[in-house]
Amino acid sequence: MLTTNGPIGVFDSGYGGLTILNKFRELLPQYDYIYLGDNARTPYGTRSFEVVYDFTLQAVRKLFELGCPLVILACNTASAKALRSIQQNDLPYIDPTRRVLGVIRPTVECIGELTKSRHIGLLATAGTVRSESYPLEIKKLYPDIQVTGVPCPLWVPLVENNEFNSPGADYFVKKYIDLLLDKDPDIDTIILGCTHYPLLIEKIKQFTPPHIRLIAQGEYVGNSLKDYLSRHPEMKSRLTVNRSCEFLTTESVEKFKESAAIFLHQEVHVRSIVLE
Ligand code: DGL
């Protein structure tokens, strides 16, 4: 099998994965990255298992075609609904030497040390909450922890439409937090299980009692990638190190540049592509 050297691929349904990419570039600045946002078909959170799986597999194939030996699904919905099938069913046929990793496991791993009450809240897309991926993964590592999830279907549109700081956002931010804490008042830690949500964190803090810890994933996923590479020299040696970052979108270049400015504070090189 021909082994390829190349950048780390980072995939999200839209712009949310940029919060993860930013952490990667902060913690592992030496590597090359390709970010792919399926902005034309976002959001994934309300789509069926089959559709999220198909779209995610198309994105992974594209990033492989572009030479990425390693792809991170920087999207909880894709990690919840597509990661396992891709790892188990597709990767062995496409190229068993490449890797696809997600964001759920690294987030879950940190939870055990953070909660005292052993009651965890999960705020995420409907797809992620319904997939039960978080409670299932948490049960494997920490059987004593109780997980309560609430879907927040309006939070991704608030972020994608740059309305996350508007007074209109208050109502929907408060609504889902109240719903979660009504369901389980003993929660002391809340996972923001969607890569878009860190953009809403100031508002989320405003409506969350101060004793509750909020978990934004970037740091945990970034550290976990660092750790993964230190344990996998065979993968590390295949990653190119020119500090470059290319952005691909299924939407128009102009639209991506305009919206991505919320997440990135620099001029970026963007290319429009088709996924099929
Ligand atoms: N950013 C994606 C996630 O982490 C969700 C956005 C969407 O619904 O497409 O789940």
Side-chain angles (χ1 to χ4, degrees):
M1 175 93 32
L2 199 69
T3 56
T4 323
N5 288 358
I8 300 175
V10 180
F11 168 68
D12 183 41
S13 60
Y15 303 105
L18 294 171
T19 61
I20 304 287
L21 175 74
N22 286 343
K23 270 289 165 205
F24 288 167
R25 293 181 75 195
E26 191 185 309
L27 294 169
L28 299 158
Q30 65 275 37
Y31 295 113
D32 297 318
Y33 295 91
I34 300 183
Y35 182 85
L36 168 52
D38 192 5
N39 304 87
R41 302 189 294 195
T42 196
Y44 279 14
T46 44
R47 293 187 188 270
S48 68
F49 176 92
E50 289 75 17
V51 170
V52 173
Y53 166 67
D54 281 347
F55 287 0
T56 306
L57 184 57
Q58 290 169 6
V60 168
R61 284 185 184 277
K62 173 61 81 179
L63 289 164
F64 281 176
E65 228 174 87
L66 294 166
C68 300
L70 172 67
V71 171
I72 313 292
L73 304 183
C75 174
N76 289 270
T77 312
S79 300
K81 292 183 158 188
L83 179 63
R84 185 156 303 210
S85 306
I86 291 176
Q87 285 174 333
Q88 292 179 352
N89 306 334
D90 300 297
L91 217 47
Y93 295 101
I94 303 174
D95 182 347
T97 73
R98 304 207 205 194
R99 287 290 168 270
V100 181
L101 305 174
V103 288
I104 294 180
R105 182 75 187 203
T107 310
V108 163
E109 277 169 0
C110 72
I111 281 302
E113 280 163 25
L114 300 178
T115 170
K116 290 209 165 52
S117 70
R118 312 310 272 173
H119 288 246
I120 295 277
L122 169 70
L123 296 170
T125 65
T128 300
V129 173
R130 277 198 215 113
S131 73
E132 299 268 320
S133 296
Y134 271 97
L136 290 171
E137 285 295 325
I138 289 173
K139 276 279 163 290
K140 279 188 217 156
L141 295 183
Y142 312 108
D144 61 318
I145 292 182
Q146 191 174 315
V147 188
T148 305
V150 164
C152 313
L154 287 157
W155 286 11
V156 168
L158 282 173
V159 173
E160 294 271 326
N161 291 293
N162 202 2
E163 288 288 339
F164 57 94
N165 266 328
S166 72
D170 289 20
Y171 173 81
F172 289 107
V173 170
K174 182 172 183 318
K175 177 179 167 152
Y176 300 131
I177 294 168
D178 289 351
L179 215 61
L180 180 69
L181 299 179
D182 277 354
K183 276 183 148 185
D184 183 355
D186 295 329
I187 285 169
D188 70 351
T189 307
I190 297 178
I191 299 174
L192 304 181
C194 171
T195 52
H196 282 69
Y197 297 175
L199 271 287
L200 283 162
I201 200 156
E202 289 312 316
K203 281 225 185 288
I204 298 172
K205 274 186 194 154
Q206 216 177 306
F207 297 109
T208 308
H211 73 278
I212 295 183
R213 186 197 282 260
L214 297 171
I215 309 290
Q217 300 175 288
E219 195 181 323
Y220 300 101
V221 176
N223 281 319
S224 165
L225 177 60
K226 210 172 167 176
D227 177 57
Y228 173 85
L229 293 176
S230 70
R231 288 182 291 107
H232 291 87
E234 78 291 352
M235 176 55 73
K236 191 174 169 177
S237 65
R238 291 174 66 187
L239 300 174
T240 50
V241 284
N242 305 298
R243 297 174 169 257
S244 73
C245 190
E246 188 184 10
F247 295 85
L248 306 179
T249 177
T250 52
E251 248 293 350
S252 78
V253 168
E254 292 67 34
K255 176 119 187 28
F256 186 92
K257 279 193 174 172
E258 187 190 311
S259 305
I262 305 166
F263 298 85
L264 302 163
H265 308 287
Q266 63 183 127
E267 203 27 50
V268 291
H269 173 71
V270 187
R271 208 151 52 86
S272 183
I273 53 141
V274 175
L275 287 181
E276 50 197 8

